[in-house]
Amino acid sequence: TYTEVVSRFDREYYTPDDCLVTDGLQSLPDGHAVAMRETHDWISGFITQQVNKQGRREAICPFVEPSLQKKTMFYSIANLDEPNEMNSVERELRHHAEIFCALEPREMPESFIKSVVVIFPETRGPLLLETTDPSRDVQGDLLEMGMLVGEFFSTCPFATSFNPKLFALRSPYPMYVLRSFIDTDWRFIAQVDRWREIYRERFGDPPEGLAHIGSFRGRVIEKVRHLAARAGIKLKRKRR
């Protein structure tokens, strides 16, 4: 069970169901229990909202609802001696990456929707992004382990790839989200040489509709889209 797994790693993990009952988070300090409940409410509410994506309606993140339904989403509060020290944050992230690998389900396709949400209530949000910067090894190491990490915090500067006005990574508390690395993640890793190599070793060439991302042409297209969105101009997208 997940309880047996996390006990080996000296961390407490909770499920969405724990967030919905009065005594589900009683082992946490009051402030941390509030942070976890508010994070769960944000994930299960905002992130599951239906939005327009290039002519189709889909959840902001389509992984979340299946993960909630299949009970393969897990929450934890970061355990840090120095909550605003980069090496401390990295050690905690790597520790939870090991837990992610040990948790069931561990094989595709079931592990496709497994996710681990690690909340950092006392850490300044931008430090999470600095810790996984491409100039450091941690993001690439996690990709080699078969997972992608997302950085969420209230001032995250990155908009969604489908709507430059939607900042879906702006969560109520700083957090890392770990999930399985899949072939459509090319859009998130295409800008970094090492990450592209890891992707190609695992999946081969990216899907046809994503292959241009990371190229000079792709960067120009994205720049034009962002400028158009800021100006309120709607661009027609080429149907593939």
Side-chain angles (χ1 to χ4, degrees), residues 133-164:
D133 187 85
S135 64
R136 308 182 81 248
D137 291 334
V138 59
Q139 179 76 276
D141 292 347
L142 267 57
L143 291 174
E144 288 185 335
M145 293 170 69
M147 73 193 75
L148 186 77
V149 59
E151 307 89 351
F152 294 72
F153 53 96
S154 62
T155 58
C156 186
F158 300 124
T160 60
S161 59
F162 55 85
N163 182 350

Side-chain angles (χ1 to χ4, degrees), residues 54 156-170 187 191 213 217-235 237:
Q54 301 181 21
C156 186
F158 300 124
T160 60
S161 59
F162 55 85
N163 182 350
K165 291 185 176 181
L166 178 59
F167 292 87
L169 303 181
R170 292 183 175 176
R187 72 185 73 220
Q191 305 293 341
I213 298 175
R217 172 177 173 269
R219 292 194 296 273
V220 171
I221 290 173
E222 289 305 310
K223 183 66 174 178
V224 170
R225 286 176 178 167
H226 279 270
L227 290 173
R230 289 176 61 183
I233 300 170
K234 292 185 177 181
L235 299 178
R237 293 181 180 268

